[in-house]
Amino acid sequence: MKLNDRGLLIVLSGPSGVGKGTVRKALFNMPGHNLEYSISMTTRKQRPGEVDGKDYYFVSREEFEKRISEGKFLEYAEFVGNYYGTPLDLVNEKLAKGNEVVLEIEVQGALQVREKCPDAVFIFLAPPSKQALYDRLRSRGTESEDVIEQRVQKANKEFQLAYKYDYIVVNDTVENAADRIMAIIRAEHAKTERTIHRYIDLLK
Ligand code: 5GP
């Protein structure tokens, strides 16, 4: 299989509370795509309503660290006291089938993917304003004030790295943001370096 026949790797980042999960779900509900979500592994406690093996694979720190030492992550990072990582073999399996794989990860992990997979597409989801983000973080009501404050600090740092991404998409409404991301994916598909190999015979 030629490298270019592998699916597209799409990295979606953005500060905690910007609505990555909601936008991703709206994107997946759109017709006519073969997007697959990469389920991450984490040591964070399961939130009410989250399903193990669907939202995340929830594991102990010990288990996570064992997997780090075995080189089983495409990337991993510590975020507000917990590990989060992308299982390498699952991503490779999906890409090898020609599917598009979406990683929804924070900035440090995204930068590791940039090093390892330079042809991935990097999209930063931004809030319409900082205030909108802080309001959302507070209204989620699942974290203590202390953790919310840490997430706010983290969001400030993440904004500073937005320039490292290929695209910045504003999440003004979920539908708009999902539409814009789909437009980016379609345009990326048509990029010459991704498609030219199909026409080599015609160009001879
Ligand atoms: P949460 O605890 O809100 O589910 O996630 C916290 C942050 O970790 C979010 O920014 C989320 O995108 C990020 N995250 C989720 N999975 C991964 C992963 O596999 N790797 C990295 N680096 N970040 C992740």
Side-chain angles (χ1 to χ4, degrees):
M1 179 187 280
K2 291 190 199 85
L3 189 67
N4 287 345
D5 290 332
R6 279 165 68 90
L8 202 61
L9 184 60
I10 300 144
V11 177
L12 182 64
S13 295
S16 179
V18 74
K20 293 186 292 273
T22 317
V23 170
R24 188 243 309 161
K25 281 175 194 143
L27 184 70
F28 276 65
N29 281 335
M30 292 171 80
H33 63 75
N34 59 348
L35 297 172
E36 282 213 49
Y37 179 55
S38 156
I39 301 166
S40 294
M41 196 165 277
T42 185
T43 60
R44 161 165 83 55
K45 263 177 59 187
Q46 205 166 337
R47 289 186 189 133
E50 284 183 332
V51 178
D52 188 23
K54 183 162 174 271
D55 297 292
Y56 282 108
Y57 297 106
F58 295 95
V59 297
S60 65
R61 273 189 94 78
E62 194 184 22
E63 170 72 23
F64 199 102
E65 283 171 353
K66 182 166 162 275
R67 284 170 187 263
I68 294 174
S69 66
E70 291 168 351
K72 288 195 169 161
F73 291 110
L74 169 60
E75 61 71 39
Y76 71 92
E78 252 193 299
F79 183 93
V80 190
N82 285 299
Y83 282 123
Y84 295 81
T86 304
L88 180 60
D89 48 357
L90 297 182
V91 169
N92 271 335
E93 262 169 41
K94 290 179 170 127
L95 289 176
K97 279 192 275 170
N99 289 334
E100 327 283 22
V101 179
V102 177
L103 307 186
E104 191 192 307
I105 62 178
E106 53 68 67
V107 177
Q108 295 309 320
L111 297 182
Q112 294 169 43
V113 180
R114 182 65 113 180
E115 290 290 308
K116 291 186 186 163
C117 315
D119 67 338
V121 182
F122 293 80
I123 303 173
F124 189 90
L125 193 63
S129 69
K130 275 195 173 181
Q131 193 56 47
L133 181 73
Y134 300 158
D135 292 347
R136 262 195 67 129
L137 272 173
R138 293 216 142 71
S139 69
R140 192 150 68 179
T142 49
E143 268 98 12
S144 65
E145 193 56 35
D146 194 37
V147 169
I148 291 170
E149 192 45 45
Q150 288 179 55
R151 283 180 179 250
V152 167
Q153 298 302 332
K154 195 87 182 172
N156 280 328
K157 292 215 175 89
E158 294 200 312
F159 273 121
Q160 287 163 19
L161 290 169
Y163 75 94
K164 300 225 177 218
Y165 285 72
D166 301 315
Y167 299 93
I168 297 180
V169 167
V170 178
N171 185 15
D172 46 2
T173 72
V174 172
E175 292 70 28
N176 280 346
D179 271 353
R180 290 177 190 129
I181 293 173
M182 193 56 91
I184 290 168
I185 294 171
R186 297 214 166 106
E188 283 289 333
H189 266 289
K191 269 204 163 162
T192 305
E193 68 252 36
R194 294 193 202 280
T195 47
I196 192 78
H197 70 283
R198 297 199 192 114
Y199 303 102
I200 291 294
D201 288 344
L202 291 177
L203 298 175
K204 274 178 193 157

